[in-house]
Amino acid sequence: MIYVERPSKPLNLTDEHVQALTAKFKKTKSAVWKKDYIAESLMKMTNNKCVFCECRLGEEGKYMEVEHFYPKSLYPSKVIFWGNLFPICSRCKKAKGDHDTQLYPIINPCLNNPKTHLYFENNSIFDKDSSHLGILTEKVLNLNDTRQLAAPRFLVGASVMKKLQEIAQAVNRYDRQSAVIGDPVHSTVQYRGPTTPYLP
């Protein structure tokens, strides 16, 4: 999870339109937030990622849903309020459910910098300095879901490590060839055998 800067609300979302859609929702409970201009603006805000787990939306069956940070079931007046809307994946939406973020706050990525409350280590997310926001956010969103989050993180990490090793091997081969050929560019460098760069 990273800090997200919220852009200005879409031009279509005028105060009058917000009032009308809110009234319609309270009366009919219809999905008044399902507007292309809302979805497109939210996706652009997070570079097509879920605001919480950062999975790529639109790939591998992870379609985007509009999340109400303050649940619409508890706070119907905020159903179309721009500052209450986020793009989210179905996994995070199901985990968060109707959690009351007013009474029991979790990290709001547009208001709280997640780095202040969470840190990442060994493919898992932990609360930072016993942060209450961090603890509850990890718990409510199940950010260490083994199958859907931790395992994909491990695969990404393994892929990065493999690529770094390939780069290190290519650099070593280049150094050896330069030393043998006596390339003038490297003539002042004395070859001392292959080295292995530090890999985190």
Side-chain angles (χ1 to χ4, degrees):
M1 188 186 308
I2 61 172
Y3 176 76
V4 175
E5 188 171 338
R6 185 178 292 277
S8 299
K9 66 181 182 180
L11 295 176
N12 304 47
L13 207 57
T14 63
D15 292 343
E16 295 77 14
H17 199 45
V18 168
Q19 290 175 1
L21 291 175
T22 301
K24 182 179 179 181
F25 173 75
K26 289 180 177 179
K27 184 177 181 180
T28 66
K29 301 302 180 189
S30 58
V32 297
W33 57 90
K34 289 191 174 181
K35 308 288 183 187
D36 287 343
Y37 63 86
I38 290 177
E40 289 167 7
S41 296
L42 291 175
M43 289 285 274
K44 185 176 180 182
M45 179 176 79
T46 61
N47 294 312
N48 302 325
K49 293 181 181 180
C50 171
V51 73
F52 293 120
C53 74
E54 292 188 76
C55 75
R56 181 72 60 182
L57 296 170
E59 294 180 2
E60 300 176 4
K62 296 173 183 171
Y63 60 92
M64 186 275 257
E65 298 189 45
V66 174
E67 168 62 12
H68 299 83
F69 187 77
Y70 298 103
K72 59 187 179 294
S73 60
L74 302 175
Y75 304 96
S77 295
K78 294 181 180 288
V79 71
I80 205 74
F81 174 62
W82 180 237
N84 193 40
L85 306 179
F86 286 104
I88 193 172
C89 68
S90 56
R91 192 215 69 87
C92 285
K93 189 170 184 67
K94 183 177 180 181
K96 181 175 174 289
D98 287 338
H99 174 79
D100 191 339
T101 49
Q102 181 72 46
L103 291 179
Y104 308 101
I106 63 172
I107 293 171
N108 179 326
C110 283
L111 300 178
N112 317 112
N113 188 340
K115 288 183 178 180
T116 304
H117 306 280
L118 298 169
Y119 72 95
F120 182 77
E121 185 176 296
N122 296 327
N123 302 311
S124 295
I125 292 175
F126 301 95
D127 61 276
K128 189 173 185 179
D129 300 325
S130 299
S131 163
H132 293 298
L133 267 183
I135 291 169
L136 195 55
T137 300
E138 190 285 317
K139 181 178 179 182
V140 168
L141 297 171
N142 190 16
L143 292 176
N144 289 314
D145 179 328
T146 303
R147 185 176 66 84
Q148 291 185 286
L149 294 180
R153 286 180 202 140
F154 174 81
L155 293 175
V156 169
S159 175
V160 169
M161 287 296 294
K162 181 179 179 183
K163 182 58 69 176
L164 288 173
Q165 288 169 348
E166 290 172 358
I167 292 170
Q169 290 169 354
V171 168
N172 286 335
R173 283 193 301 271
Y174 179 78
D175 283 348
R176 284 196 297 271
Q177 289 172 355
S178 297
V180 171
I181 296 171
D183 184 347
V185 175
H186 299 86
S187 61
T188 59
V189 178
Q190 184 177 0
Y191 177 68
R192 292 190 170 94
T195 58
T196 303
Y198 171 73
L199 297 177

